[in-house]
């Protein structure tokens, strides 16, 4: 099945916050404060200088997410993108969701 990737919008905030909390619990066994995560996601969605979120969809359903943030490198005199806040719903894993998200960002970077 085809996976499409799009920029996240404010209507995706709940999905993104849930994915961030699920990732923290799954990978670091950390229970995040839902209010703080929600506020952080909404802050990033409202200010592109903080980073950009992307949503992967399959058959019109959200199945994954990825965010990149920016870091200035004085060593290289340039801006770098750091991929973070990656999450793929368990039922959609091993189906190319992360690959689609990564390729989308890779194309933007080459752009």
């Amino acid at each position: 099945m085809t996976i499409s990737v799009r920029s996240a919008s404010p209507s995706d905030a709940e999905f993104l916050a849930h994915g961030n909390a699920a990732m923290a619990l799954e990978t670091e066994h950390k229970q995040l404060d839902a209010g703080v995560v929600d506020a952080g996601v909404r802050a990033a969605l409202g200010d592109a200088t903080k980073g950009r979120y992307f949503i992967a969809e399959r058959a019109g359903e959200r199945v994954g997410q990825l965010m990149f943030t920016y870091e200035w490198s004085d060593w290289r005199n340039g801006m770098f993108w750091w991929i973070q806040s990656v999450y793929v719903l368990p039922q959609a894993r091993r189906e190319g969701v992360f690959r689609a998200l990564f390729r989308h960002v890779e194309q933007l970077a080459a752009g």
Side-chain angles (χ1 to χ4, degrees), residues 59-81:
E61 297 291 324
R62 294 175 291 202
V63 293
Q65 68 186 63
L66 178 150
M67 177 192 199
F68 68 73
T69 58
Y70 308 96
E71 181 178 321
W72 177 257
S73 172
D74 54 350
W75 291 12
R76 295 178 182 91
N77 191 29
M79 191 67 73
F80 283 77
W81 293 356

Side-chain angles (χ1 to χ4, degrees), residues 16-33 37 65 85-87 93:
L16 293 165
H18 176 268
N20 287 343
M23 176 191 55
L25 188 59
E26 187 176 319
T27 62
E28 299 182 35
H29 309 289
K30 290 188 179 189
Q31 186 78 40
L32 301 180
D33 181 300
V37 176
Q65 68 186 63
S85 298
V86 175
Y87 189 71
R93 293 181 184 167

